[in-house]
Amino acid sequence: RKEVEQDPGPFNVPEGATVAFNCTYSNSASQSFFWYRQDCRKEPKLLMSVYSSGNEDGRFTAQLNRASQYISLLIRDSKLSDSATYLCVVIPGTGGFKTIFGAGTRLFVKA
Amino acid sequence: GAVVSQHPSRVICKSGTSVKIECRSLDFQATTMFWYRQFPKQSLMLMATSNEGSKATYEQGVEKDKFLINHASLTLSTLTVTSAHPEDSSFYICSARDKGAGASEQYFGPGTRLTVT
């Protein structure tokens, strides 16, 4: 089983739609969770951290479910500019803070 | 925000030659830097973790004698691809963790696209 698993997609949605991505992780001792965004042929950029209580940043909402070991990202009112690959990132509790990346979920927002 | 630079951004080299890629943290000190490789349409794969002043820790399957990592200062880490072959052609990205900001966030460099002919 992979340490971090994501649905690769692609998700094709119209502008204005709401779309949700899930990500599961295998290490129950994992401590930190993030969503990164990567545009084609560019480096990943931090989108948002994921907190236990859930957190929201504008149109983006992230949630963590420790019992089921998954995190989610909800995007409301999708924009064309949201088209990208979204990477789920987990930092385990051990291993020198090694960062584990999911394979990413591709999102295409269409006009 | 914190800035990480990489040089060169793009390099084309002949098979059998060596290529050095630099990763610099421009406005913060990074005790730990990470080197990733990304093939087209695939995820980032961690190659090694580079700690300032000590030997790098390589991931399983990554040849340490082929991918030489040097982290000589708190702002610079280098990756040298020795005796490059076409299968080494990839997008190499470094990231750095800010020494003063805790263990959570990494800042990524813009990447280096290596093409071996």
Side-chain angles (χ1 to χ4, degrees):
Chain A
R1 182 186 174 187
K2 291 182 180 178
E3 292 181 89
V4 176
E5 293 200 67
Q6 290 182 252
D7 181 343
F11 285 64
N12 294 290
V13 303
E15 271 189 293
T18 295
V19 61
F21 308 136
N22 284 333
C23 165
T24 59
Y25 59 95
S26 61
N27 186 342
S28 60
S30 296
Q31 294 185 343
S32 302
F33 309 88
F34 307 89
W35 284 102
Y36 276 74
R37 169 195 170 126
Q38 186 175 25
D39 292 295
C40 188
R41 301 173 76 89
K42 296 289 180 75
E43 77 277 19
K45 293 188 185 296
L46 179 66
L47 180 65
M48 58 196 304
S49 303
V50 186
Y51 302 121
S52 297
S53 56
N55 48 300
E56 188 174 307
D57 182 2
R59 298 181 293 109
F60 299 85
T61 301
Q63 295 207 315
L64 167 64
N65 185 318
R66 285 192 183 272
S68 300
Q69 293 180 209
Y70 77 83
I71 67 173
S72 64
L73 177 68
L74 182 77
I75 305 175
R76 290 181 299 278
D77 189 22
S78 299
K79 310 291 185 190
L80 294 176
S81 57
D82 293 335
S83 297
T85 297
Y86 291 83
L87 304 171
C88 169
V89 178
V90 175
I91 296 181
T94 58
F97 304 113
K98 185 173 73 172
T99 303
I100 311 296
F101 281 82
T105 298
R106 299 201 72 188
L107 171 66
F108 294 102
V109 181
K110 302 170 294 184
Chain B
V3 178
V4 175
S5 70
Q6 272 185 250
H7 178 79
S9 58
R10 184 183 296 268
V11 58
I12 301 173
C13 70
K14 291 187 177 180
S15 188
T17 60
S18 294
V19 174
K20 179 185 282 188
I21 302 169
E22 293 186 349
C23 176
R24 293 182 186 272
S25 56
L26 298 186
D27 51 1
F28 66 98
Q29 292 184 326
T31 49
T32 303
M33 289 184 172
F34 302 89
W35 286 97
Y36 296 86
R37 180 167 54 181
Q38 187 174 34
F39 293 105
K41 298 186 178 181
Q42 294 187 26
S43 184
L44 291 163
M45 296 299 295
L46 180 64
M47 299 176 67
T49 301
S50 167
N51 293 297
E52 186 265 338
S54 63
K55 290 183 179 180
T57 303
Y58 290 81
E59 294 302 299
Q60 192 172 17
V62 179
E63 300 173 57
K64 62 179 181 180
D65 294 328
K66 179 170 180 63
F67 299 99
L68 302 178
I69 292 173
N70 186 303
H71 192 159
S73 76
L74 285 172
T75 60
L76 173 65
S77 176
T78 61
L79 168 68
T80 302
V81 183
T82 62
S83 187
H85 289 99
E87 58 265 30
D88 297 325
S89 299
S90 186
F91 191 44
Y92 291 86
I93 306 175
C94 73
S95 71
R97 181 168 282 133
D98 188 339
K99 178 183 178 183
S104 57
E105 189 168 341
Q106 291 183 45
Y107 303 97
F108 285 86
T112 297
R113 193 161 298 282
L114 170 63
T115 303
V116 184
T117 60

PDB file of all heavy atoms in Angstrom, chain A residues 61-94:
ATOM      1  N   THR A  61     -11.605  24.643   1.233  1.00  0.00           N
ATOM      2  CA  THR A  61     -11.803  24.100   2.576  1.00  0.00           C
ATOM      3  C   THR A  61     -11.053  22.780   2.686  1.00  0.00           C
ATOM      4  O   THR A  61     -11.207  21.911   1.834  1.00  0.00           O
ATOM      5  CB  THR A  61     -13.289  23.855   2.874  1.00  0.00           C
ATOM      6  OG1 THR A  61     -14.003  25.090   2.762  1.00  0.00           O
ATOM      7  CG2 THR A  61     -13.476  23.295   4.280  1.00  0.00           C
ATOM      8  N   ALA A  62     -10.263  22.664   3.738  1.00  0.00           N
ATOM      9  CA  ALA A  62      -9.516  21.423   3.966  1.00  0.00           C
ATOM     10  C   ALA A  62      -9.994  20.783   5.251  1.00  0.00           C
ATOM     11  O   ALA A  62     -10.301  21.470   6.219  1.00  0.00           O
ATOM     12  CB  ALA A  62      -8.024  21.718   4.049  1.00  0.00           C
ATOM     13  N   GLN A  63     -10.061  19.463   5.237  1.00  0.00           N
ATOM     14  CA  GLN A  63     -10.480  18.752   6.434  1.00  0.00           C
ATOM     15  C   GLN A  63      -9.593  17.539   6.655  1.00  0.00           C
ATOM     16  O   GLN A  63      -9.062  16.953   5.719  1.00  0.00           O
ATOM     17  CB  GLN A  63     -11.935  18.327   6.300  1.00  0.00           C
ATOM     18  CG  GLN A  63     -12.903  19.498   6.228  1.00  0.00           C
ATOM     19  CD  GLN A  63     -14.284  19.153   6.732  1.00  0.00           C
ATOM     20  OE1 GLN A  63     -14.779  18.098   6.374  1.00  0.00           O
ATOM     21  NE2 GLN A  63     -14.889  20.002   7.538  1.00  0.00           N
ATOM     22  N   LEU A  64      -9.468  17.174   7.914  1.00  0.00           N
ATOM     23  CA  LEU A  64      -8.665  16.018   8.309  1.00  0.00           C
ATOM     24  C   LEU A  64      -9.539  15.071   9.124  1.00  0.00           C
ATOM     25  O   LEU A  64     -10.244  15.502  10.035  1.00  0.00           O
ATOM     26  CB  LEU A  64      -7.471  16.482   9.160  1.00  0.00           C
ATOM     27  CG  LEU A  64      -6.691  15.414   9.929  1.00  0.00           C
ATOM     28  CD1 LEU A  64      -6.020  14.427   8.985  1.00  0.00           C
ATOM     29  CD2 LEU A  64      -5.678  16.064  10.856  1.00  0.00           C
ATOM     30  N   ASN A  65      -9.486  13.811   8.792  1.00  0.00           N
ATOM     31  CA  ASN A  65     -10.176  12.772   9.566  1.00  0.00           C
ATOM     32  C   ASN A  65      -9.132  11.762  10.017  1.00  0.00           C
ATOM     33  O   ASN A  65      -8.730  10.884   9.251  1.00  0.00           O
ATOM     34  CB  ASN A  65     -11.250  12.101   8.699  1.00  0.00           C
ATOM     35  CG  ASN A  65     -12.080  11.092   9.487  1.00  0.00           C
ATOM     36  OD1 ASN A  65     -11.548  10.323  10.289  1.00  0.00           O
ATOM     37  ND2 ASN A  65     -13.383  11.101   9.267  1.00  0.00           N
ATOM     38  N   ARG A  66      -8.669  11.932  11.240  1.00  0.00           N
ATOM     39  CA  ARG A  66      -7.597  11.065  11.739  1.00  0.00           C
ATOM     40  C   ARG A  66      -8.068   9.623  11.924  1.00  0.00           C
ATOM     41  O   ARG A  66      -7.326   8.679  11.714  1.00  0.00           O
ATOM     42  CB  ARG A  66      -7.052  11.609  13.057  1.00  0.00           C
ATOM     43  CG  ARG A  66      -6.164  12.822  12.904  1.00  0.00           C
ATOM     44  CD  ARG A  66      -5.435  13.125  14.214  1.00  0.00           C
ATOM     45  NE  ARG A  66      -4.625  14.327  14.119  1.00  0.00           N
ATOM     46  CZ  ARG A  66      -3.371  14.338  13.688  1.00  0.00           C
ATOM     47  NH1 ARG A  66      -2.802  13.216  13.298  1.00  0.00           N
ATOM     48  NH2 ARG A  66      -2.693  15.471  13.644  1.00  0.00           N
ATOM     49  N   ALA A  67      -9.304   9.460  12.333  1.00  0.00           N
ATOM     50  CA  ALA A  67      -9.810   8.106  12.583  1.00  0.00           C
ATOM     51  C   ALA A  67      -9.790   7.273  11.307  1.00  0.00           C
ATOM     52  O   ALA A  67      -9.437   6.100  11.315  1.00  0.00           O
ATOM     53  CB  ALA A  67     -11.222   8.185  13.152  1.00  0.00           C
ATOM     54  N   SER A  68     -10.170   7.891  10.209  1.00  0.00           N
ATOM     55  CA  SER A  68     -10.197   7.192   8.928  1.00  0.00           C
ATOM     56  C   SER A  68      -8.946   7.443   8.100  1.00  0.00           C
ATOM     57  O   SER A  68      -8.819   6.910   6.994  1.00  0.00           O
ATOM     58  CB  SER A  68     -11.431   7.611   8.126  1.00  0.00           C
ATOM     59  OG  SER A  68     -12.618   7.302   8.831  1.00  0.00           O
ATOM     60  N   GLN A  69      -8.063   8.282   8.614  1.00  0.00           N
ATOM     61  CA  GLN A  69      -6.781   8.561   7.962  1.00  0.00           C
ATOM     62  C   GLN A  69      -6.961   9.095   6.547  1.00  0.00           C
ATOM     63  O   GLN A  69      -6.413   8.537   5.580  1.00  0.00           O
ATOM     64  CB  GLN A  69      -5.870   7.319   7.983  1.00  0.00           C
ATOM     65  CG  GLN A  69      -5.442   6.961   9.405  1.00  0.00           C
ATOM     66  CD  GLN A  69      -4.532   5.753   9.488  1.00  0.00           C
ATOM     67  OE1 GLN A  69      -4.532   5.039  10.486  1.00  0.00           O
ATOM     68  NE2 GLN A  69      -3.751   5.481   8.473  1.00  0.00           N
ATOM     69  N   TYR A  70      -7.748  10.148   6.446  1.00  0.00           N
ATOM     70  CA  TYR A  70      -7.812  10.811   5.153  1.00  0.00           C
ATOM     71  C   TYR A  70      -7.943  12.312   5.346  1.00  0.00           C
ATOM     72  O   TYR A  70      -8.388  12.796   6.389  1.00  0.00           O
ATOM     73  CB  TYR A  70      -8.946  10.255   4.284  1.00  0.00           C
ATOM     74  CG  TYR A  70     -10.346  10.719   4.627  1.00  0.00           C
ATOM     75  CD1 TYR A  70     -10.823  11.951   4.150  1.00  0.00           C
ATOM     76  CD2 TYR A  70     -11.197   9.925   5.380  1.00  0.00           C
ATOM     77  CE1 TYR A  70     -12.112  12.367   4.444  1.00  0.00           C
ATOM     78  CE2 TYR A  70     -12.485  10.337   5.679  1.00  0.00           C
ATOM     79  CZ  TYR A  70     -12.928  11.553   5.207  1.00  0.00           C
ATOM     80  OH  TYR A  70     -14.198  11.964   5.501  1.00  0.00           O
ATOM     81  N   ILE A  71      -7.547  13.022   4.318  1.00  0.00           N
ATOM     82  CA  ILE A  71      -7.748  14.458   4.279  1.00  0.00           C
ATOM     83  C   ILE A  71      -8.495  14.790   2.996  1.00  0.00           C
ATOM     84  O   ILE A  71      -8.481  14.000   2.036  1.00  0.00           O
ATOM     85  CB  ILE A  71      -6.435  15.255   4.372  1.00  0.00           C
ATOM     86  CG1 ILE A  71      -5.563  15.045   3.128  1.00  0.00           C
ATOM     87  CG2 ILE A  71      -5.656  14.887   5.618  1.00  0.00           C
ATOM     88  CD1 ILE A  71      -4.339  15.960   3.109  1.00  0.00           C
ATOM     89  N   SER A  72      -9.152  15.913   3.013  1.00  0.00           N
ATOM     90  CA  SER A  72      -9.938  16.296   1.852  1.00  0.00           C
ATOM     91  C   SER A  72      -9.712  17.766   1.519  1.00  0.00           C
ATOM     92  O   SER A  72      -9.289  18.559   2.361  1.00  0.00           O
ATOM     93  CB  SER A  72     -11.425  16.033   2.101  1.00  0.00           C
ATOM     94  OG  SER A  72     -11.900  16.841   3.164  1.00  0.00           O
ATOM     95  N   LEU A  73      -9.986  18.081   0.272  1.00  0.00           N
ATOM     96  CA  LEU A  73      -9.919  19.460  -0.205  1.00  0.00           C
ATOM     97  C   LEU A  73     -11.178  19.727  -1.000  1.00  0.00           C
ATOM     98  O   LEU A  73     -11.489  18.981  -1.933  1.00  0.00           O
ATOM     99  CB  LEU A  73      -8.687  19.693  -1.083  1.00  0.00           C
ATOM    100  CG  LEU A  73      -8.564  21.084  -1.691  1.00  0.00           C
ATOM    101  CD1 LEU A  73      -8.303  22.128  -0.609  1.00  0.00           C
ATOM    102  CD2 LEU A  73      -7.440  21.114  -2.731  1.00  0.00           C
ATOM    103  N   LEU A  74     -11.888  20.756  -0.623  1.00  0.00           N
ATOM    104  CA  LEU A  74     -13.107  21.150  -1.317  1.00  0.00           C
ATOM    105  C   LEU A  74     -12.873  22.502  -1.975  1.00  0.00           C
ATOM    106  O   LEU A  74     -12.402  23.442  -1.331  1.00  0.00           O
ATOM    107  CB  LEU A  74     -14.272  21.246  -0.320  1.00  0.00           C
ATOM    108  CG  LEU A  74     -15.641  21.606  -0.894  1.00  0.00           C
ATOM    109  CD1 LEU A  74     -16.250  20.392  -1.571  1.00  0.00           C
ATOM    110  CD2 LEU A  74     -16.571  22.125   0.206  1.00  0.00           C
ATOM    111  N   ILE A  75     -13.186  22.570  -3.243  1.00  0.00           N
ATOM    112  CA  ILE A  75     -13.071  23.841  -3.972  1.00  0.00           C
ATOM    113  C   ILE A  75     -14.473  24.250  -4.417  1.00  0.00           C
ATOM    114  O   ILE A  75     -15.144  23.513  -5.144  1.00  0.00           O
ATOM    115  CB  ILE A  75     -12.157  23.707  -5.209  1.00  0.00           C
ATOM    116  CG1 ILE A  75     -10.779  23.169  -4.817  1.00  0.00           C
ATOM    117  CG2 ILE A  75     -12.020  25.061  -5.905  1.00  0.00           C
ATOM    118  CD1 ILE A  75      -9.856  22.906  -6.004  1.00  0.00           C
ATOM    119  N   ARG A  76     -14.879  25.414  -3.966  1.00  0.00           N
ATOM    120  CA  ARG A  76     -16.207  25.925  -4.358  1.00  0.00           C
ATOM    121  C   ARG A  76     -16.057  26.953  -5.469  1.00  0.00           C
ATOM    122  O   ARG A  76     -15.011  27.596  -5.614  1.00  0.00           O
ATOM    123  CB  ARG A  76     -16.890  26.597  -3.156  1.00  0.00           C
ATOM    124  CG  ARG A  76     -17.337  25.644  -2.059  1.00  0.00           C
ATOM    125  CD  ARG A  76     -18.024  26.416  -0.916  1.00  0.00           C
ATOM    126  NE  ARG A  76     -17.109  27.372  -0.312  1.00  0.00           N
ATOM    127  CZ  ARG A  76     -16.218  27.049   0.604  1.00  0.00           C
ATOM    128  NH1 ARG A  76     -16.121  25.805   1.025  1.00  0.00           N
ATOM    129  NH2 ARG A  76     -15.419  27.969   1.109  1.00  0.00           N
ATOM    130  N   ASP A  77     -17.113  27.099  -6.259  1.00  0.00           N
ATOM    131  CA  ASP A  77     -17.139  28.112  -7.313  1.00  0.00           C
ATOM    132  C   ASP A  77     -15.850  28.056  -8.148  1.00  0.00           C
ATOM    133  O   ASP A  77     -15.108  29.036  -8.242  1.00  0.00           O
ATOM    134  CB  ASP A  77     -17.310  29.500  -6.685  1.00  0.00           C
ATOM    135  CG  ASP A  77     -17.564  30.586  -7.708  1.00  0.00           C
ATOM    136  OD1 ASP A  77     -18.024  30.251  -8.816  1.00  0.00           O
ATOM    137  OD2 ASP A  77     -17.267  31.769  -7.419  1.00  0.00           O
ATOM    138  N   SER A  78     -15.585  26.920  -8.730  1.00  0.00           N
ATOM    139  CA  SER A  78     -14.337  26.693  -9.478  1.00  0.00           C
ATOM    140  C   SER A  78     -14.108  27.763 -10.542  1.00  0.00           C
ATOM    141  O   SER A  78     -15.028  28.187 -11.236  1.00  0.00           O
ATOM    142  CB  SER A  78     -14.386  25.321 -10.154  1.00  0.00           C
ATOM    143  OG  SER A  78     -14.516  24.299  -9.212  1.00  0.00           O
ATOM    144  N   LYS A  79     -12.856  28.149 -10.659  1.00  0.00           N
ATOM    145  CA  LYS A  79     -12.424  29.114 -11.681  1.00  0.00           C
ATOM    146  C   LYS A  79     -11.533  28.391 -12.688  1.00  0.00           C
ATOM    147  O   LYS A  79     -10.919  27.368 -12.379  1.00  0.00           O
ATOM    148  CB  LYS A  79     -11.608  30.246 -11.035  1.00  0.00           C
ATOM    149  CG  LYS A  79     -12.252  30.893  -9.823  1.00  0.00           C
ATOM    150  CD  LYS A  79     -13.458  31.695 -10.177  1.00  0.00           C
ATOM    151  CE  LYS A  79     -13.998  32.422  -8.953  1.00  0.00           C
ATOM    152  NZ  LYS A  79     -15.335  33.035  -9.223  1.00  0.00           N
ATOM    153  N   LEU A  80     -11.439  28.964 -13.862  1.00  0.00           N
ATOM    154  CA  LEU A  80     -10.549  28.393 -14.879  1.00  0.00           C
ATOM    155  C   LEU A  80      -9.124  28.295 -14.335  1.00  0.00           C
ATOM    156  O   LEU A  80      -8.398  27.340 -14.621  1.00  0.00           O
ATOM    157  CB  LEU A  80     -10.559  29.256 -16.145  1.00  0.00           C
ATOM    158  CG  LEU A  80     -11.864  29.310 -16.926  1.00  0.00           C
ATOM    159  CD1 LEU A  80     -11.726  30.280 -18.100  1.00  0.00           C
ATOM    160  CD2 LEU A  80     -12.247  27.924 -17.434  1.00  0.00           C
ATOM    161  N   SER A  81      -8.745  29.272 -13.538  1.00  0.00           N
ATOM    162  CA  SER A  81      -7.386  29.319 -13.000  1.00  0.00           C
ATOM    163  C   SER A  81      -7.127  28.251 -11.936  1.00  0.00           C
ATOM    164  O   SER A  81      -5.981  28.074 -11.506  1.00  0.00           O
ATOM    165  CB  SER A  81      -7.105  30.699 -12.403  1.00  0.00           C
ATOM    166  OG  SER A  81      -8.067  31.006 -11.409  1.00  0.00           O
ATOM    167  N   ASP A  82      -8.161  27.559 -11.519  1.00  0.00           N
ATOM    168  CA  ASP A  82      -7.959  26.467 -10.554  1.00  0.00           C
ATOM    169  C   ASP A  82      -7.431  25.208 -11.240  1.00  0.00           C
ATOM    170  O   ASP A  82      -7.035  24.249 -10.563  1.00  0.00           O
ATOM    171  CB  ASP A  82      -9.282  26.120  -9.839  1.00  0.00           C
ATOM    172  CG  ASP A  82      -9.775  27.238  -8.938  1.00  0.00           C
ATOM    173  OD1 ASP A  82      -8.937  28.045  -8.472  1.00  0.00           O
ATOM    174  OD2 ASP A  82     -10.999  27.322  -8.716  1.00  0.00           O
ATOM    175  N   SER A  83      -7.433  25.188 -12.551  1.00  0.00           N
ATOM    176  CA  SER A  83      -6.933  24.013 -13.285  1.00  0.00           C
ATOM    177  C   SER A  83      -5.468  23.785 -12.932  1.00  0.00           C
ATOM    178  O   SER A  83      -4.630  24.660 -13.135  1.00  0.00           O
ATOM    179  CB  SER A  83      -7.090  24.221 -14.789  1.00  0.00           C
ATOM    180  OG  SER A  83      -8.447  24.358 -15.147  1.00  0.00           O
ATOM    181  N   ALA A  84      -5.177  22.624 -12.387  1.00  0.00           N
ATOM    182  CA  ALA A  84      -3.824  22.310 -11.917  1.00  0.00           C
ATOM    183  C   ALA A  84      -3.845  20.884 -11.370  1.00  0.00           C
ATOM    184  O   ALA A  84      -4.873  20.214 -11.387  1.00  0.00           O
ATOM    185  CB  ALA A  84      -3.375  23.271 -10.834  1.00  0.00           C
ATOM    186  N   THR A  85      -2.707  20.465 -10.890  1.00  0.00           N
ATOM    187  CA  THR A  85      -2.628  19.194 -10.166  1.00  0.00           C
ATOM    188  C   THR A  85      -2.528  19.509  -8.688  1.00  0.00           C
ATOM    189  O   THR A  85      -1.718  20.349  -8.276  1.00  0.00           O
ATOM    190  CB  THR A  85      -1.411  18.371 -10.617  1.00  0.00           C
ATOM    191  OG1 THR A  85      -1.562  18.029 -11.996  1.00  0.00           O
ATOM    192  CG2 THR A  85      -1.286  17.089  -9.797  1.00  0.00           C
ATOM    193  N   TYR A  86      -3.331  18.852  -7.890  1.00  0.00           N
ATOM    194  CA  TYR A  86      -3.358  19.099  -6.455  1.00  0.00           C
ATOM    195  C   TYR A  86      -2.692  17.919  -5.740  1.00  0.00           C
ATOM    196  O   TYR A  86      -3.101  16.770  -5.897  1.00  0.00           O
ATOM    197  CB  TYR A  86      -4.794  19.312  -5.982  1.00  0.00           C
ATOM    198  CG  TYR A  86      -5.339  20.623  -6.502  1.00  0.00           C
ATOM    199  CD1 TYR A  86      -5.873  20.706  -7.790  1.00  0.00           C
ATOM    200  CD2 TYR A  86      -5.239  21.793  -5.765  1.00  0.00           C
ATOM    201  CE1 TYR A  86      -6.326  21.918  -8.304  1.00  0.00           C
ATOM    202  CE2 TYR A  86      -5.696  23.004  -6.258  1.00  0.00           C
ATOM    203  CZ  TYR A  86      -6.218  23.055  -7.534  1.00  0.00           C
ATOM    204  OH  TYR A  86      -6.647  24.260  -8.050  1.00  0.00           O
ATOM    205  N   LEU A  87      -1.680  18.249  -4.978  1.00  0.00           N
ATOM    206  CA  LEU A  87      -0.877  17.231  -4.315  1.00  0.00           C
ATOM    207  C   LEU A  87      -1.192  17.180  -2.830  1.00  0.00           C
ATOM    208  O   LEU A  87      -1.157  18.207  -2.150  1.00  0.00           O
ATOM    209  CB  LEU A  87       0.617  17.537  -4.500  1.00  0.00           C
ATOM    210  CG  LEU A  87       1.106  17.681  -5.937  1.00  0.00           C
ATOM    211  CD1 LEU A  87       2.544  18.198  -5.947  1.00  0.00           C
ATOM    212  CD2 LEU A  87       1.042  16.351  -6.651  1.00  0.00           C
ATOM    213  N   CYS A  88      -1.453  15.999  -2.360  1.00  0.00           N
ATOM    214  CA  CYS A  88      -1.661  15.761  -0.934  1.00  0.00           C
ATOM    215  C   CYS A  88      -0.294  15.481  -0.326  1.00  0.00           C
ATOM    216  O   CYS A  88       0.483  14.686  -0.877  1.00  0.00           O
ATOM    217  CB  CYS A  88      -2.591  14.561  -0.794  1.00  0.00           C
ATOM    218  SG  CYS A  88      -2.753  13.885   0.848  1.00  0.00           S
ATOM    219  N   VAL A  89       0.008  16.123   0.770  1.00  0.00           N
ATOM    220  CA  VAL A  89       1.340  16.008   1.355  1.00  0.00           C
ATOM    221  C   VAL A  89       1.221  15.677   2.837  1.00  0.00           C
ATOM    222  O   VAL A  89       0.463  16.313   3.559  1.00  0.00           O
ATOM    223  CB  VAL A  89       2.123  17.317   1.172  1.00  0.00           C
ATOM    224  CG1 VAL A  89       3.486  17.225   1.830  1.00  0.00           C
ATOM    225  CG2 VAL A  89       2.260  17.625  -0.310  1.00  0.00           C
ATOM    226  N   VAL A  90       2.005  14.701   3.256  1.00  0.00           N
ATOM    227  CA  VAL A  90       1.950  14.227   4.645  1.00  0.00           C
ATOM    228  C   VAL A  90       3.356  14.182   5.210  1.00  0.00           C
ATOM    229  O   VAL A  90       4.289  13.735   4.539  1.00  0.00           O
ATOM    230  CB  VAL A  90       1.322  12.816   4.695  1.00  0.00           C
ATOM    231  CG1 VAL A  90       1.374  12.253   6.113  1.00  0.00           C
ATOM    232  CG2 VAL A  90      -0.106  12.846   4.180  1.00  0.00           C
ATOM    233  N   ILE A  91       3.500  14.665   6.414  1.00  0.00           N
ATOM    234  CA  ILE A  91       4.784  14.530   7.113  1.00  0.00           C
ATOM    235  C   ILE A  91       4.577  13.543   8.244  1.00  0.00           C
ATOM    236  O   ILE A  91       3.830  13.800   9.187  1.00  0.00           O
ATOM    237  CB  ILE A  91       5.283  15.879   7.661  1.00  0.00           C
ATOM    238  CG1 ILE A  91       5.556  16.817   6.494  1.00  0.00           C
ATOM    239  CG2 ILE A  91       6.555  15.672   8.487  1.00  0.00           C
ATOM    240  CD1 ILE A  91       6.084  18.182   6.919  1.00  0.00           C
ATOM    241  N   PRO A  92       5.234  12.387   8.158  1.00  0.00           N
ATOM    242  CA  PRO A  92       5.088  11.383   9.210  1.00  0.00           C
ATOM    243  C   PRO A  92       5.666  11.877  10.528  1.00  0.00           C
ATOM    244  O   PRO A  92       6.416  12.828  10.575  1.00  0.00           O
ATOM    245  CB  PRO A  92       5.898  10.187   8.679  1.00  0.00           C
ATOM    246  CG  PRO A  92       6.098  10.456   7.237  1.00  0.00           C
ATOM    247  CD  PRO A  92       6.121  11.941   7.090  1.00  0.00           C
ATOM    248  N   GLY A  93       5.359  11.203  11.581  1.00  0.00           N
ATOM    249  CA  GLY A  93       5.857  11.618  12.882  1.00  0.00           C
ATOM    250  C   GLY A  93       7.315  11.264  13.106  1.00  0.00           C
ATOM    251  O   GLY A  93       7.965  11.784  13.976  1.00  0.00           O
ATOM    252  N   THR A  94       7.855  10.361  12.247  1.00  0.00           N
ATOM    253  CA  THR A  94       9.249   9.963  12.420  1.00  0.00           C
ATOM    254  C   THR A  94       9.968  10.127  11.098  1.00  0.00           C
ATOM    255  O   THR A  94       9.359  10.458  10.097  1.00  0.00           O
ATOM    256  CB  THR A  94       9.364   8.493  12.869  1.00  0.00           C
ATOM    257  OG1 THR A  94       8.711   7.677  11.892  1.00  0.00           O
ATOM    258  CG2 THR A  94       8.688   8.296  14.208  1.00  0.00           C
TER     259      THR A  94
END
